[in-house]
């Protein structure tokens, strides 16, 4: 299986402040922005997504979002679903 990480997702307290840091301070190009979300291009097909804590925790529950020190999500791009099915079977 060839692994390619496609998304890095951070749960942040203030998406406006975080978007300003990653966009204006670090100079990452913004791909998409709405009230509670910002998405930046990291190059090579990878993205950095910023999700604001309050709406995410309301949508999926506080337990799913985690503690402040553990608010990172990752996404992988796979050519097919076969590796996921194989890993699920193994687990």
């Amino acid at each position: 299986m060839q692994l390619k990480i496609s998304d890095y997702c951070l749960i942040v307290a203030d998406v406006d402040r975080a978007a300003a840091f990653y966009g204006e301070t670090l100079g990452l190009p913004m791909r998409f922005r709405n009230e509670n979300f910002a998405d930046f291009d990291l190059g090579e097909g990878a993205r950095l997504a910023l999700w604001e804590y309050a709406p995410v925790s309301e949508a999926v529950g506080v337990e799913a979002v985690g503690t402040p020190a553990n608010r990172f999500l990752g996404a992988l791009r796979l050519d097919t679903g076969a590796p996921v099915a194989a890993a699920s079977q193994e687990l």
Side-chain angles (χ1 to χ4, degrees):
M1 167 176 72
Q2 181 180 358
L3 179 66
K4 181 175 182 179
I5 297 175
S6 62
D7 294 78
Y8 299 91
C9 305
L10 300 177
I11 308 298
V12 299
D14 182 339
V15 75
D16 292 326
R17 185 172 170 213
F21 174 75
Y22 287 100
E24 297 167 20
T25 304
L26 297 184
L28 294 178
M30 188 176 291
R31 293 172 29 98
F32 179 78
R33 177 78 163 91
N34 70 21
E35 183 180 355
N36 304 306
F37 176 81
D39 186 57
F40 295 89
D41 186 359
L42 295 174
E44 301 291 323
R47 292 180 240 169
L48 171 66
L50 306 173
W51 294 86
E52 193 158 294
Y53 173 79
V56 171
S57 64
E58 288 174 20
V60 300
V62 174
E63 301 83 19
V65 177
T67 62
N70 187 26
R71 291 188 181 152
F72 174 80
L73 304 171
L76 308 173
R77 180 176 295 140
L78 302 170
D79 293 332
T80 70
V84 176
S88 177
Q89 189 75 343
E90 181 181 336
L91 296 172

